[in-house]
Amino acid sequence: MNARDSAPTLAQIVTTLRAARGIAHKRDIDAVVQVLDPAPAVRHQGHTLAVGDDCAAIPDGDGYLLFAIEGFINEFVEQQPWFAGYCGVMVNVSDIYAMGGRPVAVVDALWSRDGDAARPVLEGLAEGARVYGVPLVGGHSNRRNDREQLSVSIIGRARRLLTSFDARSGDHLVAVIDLRGRFQEPYAYWNASSGAPAERLRADLELLPAIAEDGLASAAKDISMAGVIGTALMLLECSGKGALIDLEAVPCPPGVDFQRWLTAFPSYGFLLSVSAADLEQVLGRFAARGLSAASIGRIDDSRTLRLSMQGQTETFWDLAEEALIGCGPVRAGQGGV
């Protein structure tokens, strides 16, 4: 039986999600944005370029240079050093593909104790680079720390962007997740990557730039540690939109606790803004590769995220009243380049 069949009430789900650690971490971004006061968003060749996306997108020739970085919680690096290293490549690669790009290279910064303490982290990094076909071209290391600490940065290129700032009202909000995995206990990390064929993983990711280049989606975002709902909220905030999400439509593995699933980071998971005219083609491309994709709601102008389940609807977040990451759409009167 699917754990969703015995799910808690919608009100309980809303309360649990609002208190979730992954969403709390995203709320920290707002304070950083307020201090840094980043440059305003601009329009460039039909795309919105702004701070708050999965990658920084820098116009470069006939496309865009993509630049991103991920840092890892000390507890995770300590308890899962090999997987932390592997994730250093995996999560950065996902950020590049989420924006319609392809990765070029990664670098790492690793602090560690002396001796062989850093070895499993480095072995995980090396395996991630091999699996995803992305060269590890350098970085920084220090073996005189009191623990292992890791961050990894990536560059990539895109011909045509998928951003978090260009979702359109009336579009379907599509969730695509690789359900062929397992939880990396004790964390809410759904591991559909390590141990899977490298060629399959790369081809699955290639769907994202192909969709971007074929003009089949207006926006996209990598499902992060904020889970499906938290990531949807970030996408809507950046685009200045709202949505009604049907929780019963969210792709979910059988036998998995549904509340835990809604807070999970899937190693392959994306949200896309897709028009009704393109929905069937987009869903078909993912289904052809054994990936679970579904329209989980419709995007609107409300700036409110509502959740529905079993005939009930609850407001999850009103972005007009409360920011999450503090990154909004282009303000009226701003020009483009």
Side-chain angles (χ1 to χ4, degrees), residues 99-336:
M99 294 198 65
R102 297 174 177 88
V104 173
V106 294
V107 296
D108 72 285
L110 175 60
W111 288 258
S112 71
R113 295 163 292 168
D114 60 6
D116 290 332
R119 187 175 184 87
V121 180
L122 293 169
E123 289 175 344
L125 276 166
E127 179 64 3
R130 183 195 69 80
V131 166
Y132 287 102
V134 185
L136 181 60
V137 297
H140 168 83
S141 60
N142 183 313
R143 299 175 61 195
R144 298 177 183 273
N145 201 32
D146 61 348
R147 71 193 76 183
E148 284 65 63
Q149 295 176 294
L150 175 68
S151 62
V152 181
S153 186
I154 192 167
I155 57 170
R157 285 193 57 81
R159 299 190 187 107
R160 184 170 180 175
L161 288 178
L162 295 170
T163 80
S164 299
F165 291 84
D166 296 316
R168 297 179 300 204
S169 294
D171 274 5
H172 288 264
L173 182 63
V174 171
V176 53
I177 305 173
D178 189 349
L179 303 183
R180 299 166 294 191
R182 64 200 179 281
F183 276 117
Q184 188 79 16
E185 301 292 357
Y187 300 101
Y189 304 158
W190 184 254
N191 184 0
S193 177
S194 63
E199 295 78 10
R200 192 193 82 196
L201 294 173
R202 296 180 199 175
D204 289 347
L205 288 166
E206 180 62 26
L207 292 172
L208 276 300
I211 285 171
E213 290 159 10
D214 291 342
L216 296 176
S218 60
K221 198 160 189 67
D222 170 54
I223 298 176
S224 69
M225 290 298 299
V228 171
I229 304 306
T231 301
L233 184 61
M234 290 190 288
L235 175 63
L236 297 171
E237 181 178 12
C238 288
S239 292
K241 301 297 181 183
L244 173 62
I245 292 178
D246 177 7
L247 294 182
E248 295 173 280
V250 175
C252 178
V256 168
D257 179 84
F258 190 52
Q259 280 200 102
R260 187 186 192 196
W261 179 247
L262 291 177
T263 66
F265 163 70
S267 47
Y268 184 104
F270 302 92
L271 297 176
L272 299 94
S273 176
V274 179
S275 71
D278 295 323
L279 179 64
E280 183 177 355
Q281 184 176 171
V282 169
L283 295 181
R285 290 192 183 193
F286 289 116
R289 294 206 53 82
L291 298 162
S292 297
S295 170
I296 63 172
R298 299 295 285 267
I299 297 169
D300 56 44
D301 289 324
S302 67
R303 296 191 66 202
T304 300
L305 176 55
R306 287 110 47 224
L307 306 180
S308 68
M309 187 178 73
Q310 298 177 345
Q312 296 184 326
T313 301
E314 294 271 353
T315 295
F316 177 69
W317 206 289
D318 185 346
L319 288 163
E321 298 293 331
E322 182 181 8
L324 178 63
I325 62 174
C327 299
V330 178
R331 295 187 293 273
Q334 289 178 346

Side-chain angles (χ1 to χ4, degrees), residues 37-83:
D37 189 23
V42 297
R43 295 285 291 176
H44 182 269
Q45 298 182 359
H47 303 298
T48 302
L49 310 183
V51 171
D53 223 327
D54 286 308
C55 302
I58 304 164
D60 182 40
D62 60 351
Y64 298 86
L65 178 67
L66 302 177
F67 187 22
I69 188 170
E70 296 282 352
F72 294 87
I73 297 171
N74 289 341
E75 174 191 4
F76 177 49
V77 179
E78 178 184 1
Q79 296 185 9
Q80 306 259 355
W82 184 93
F83 191 58

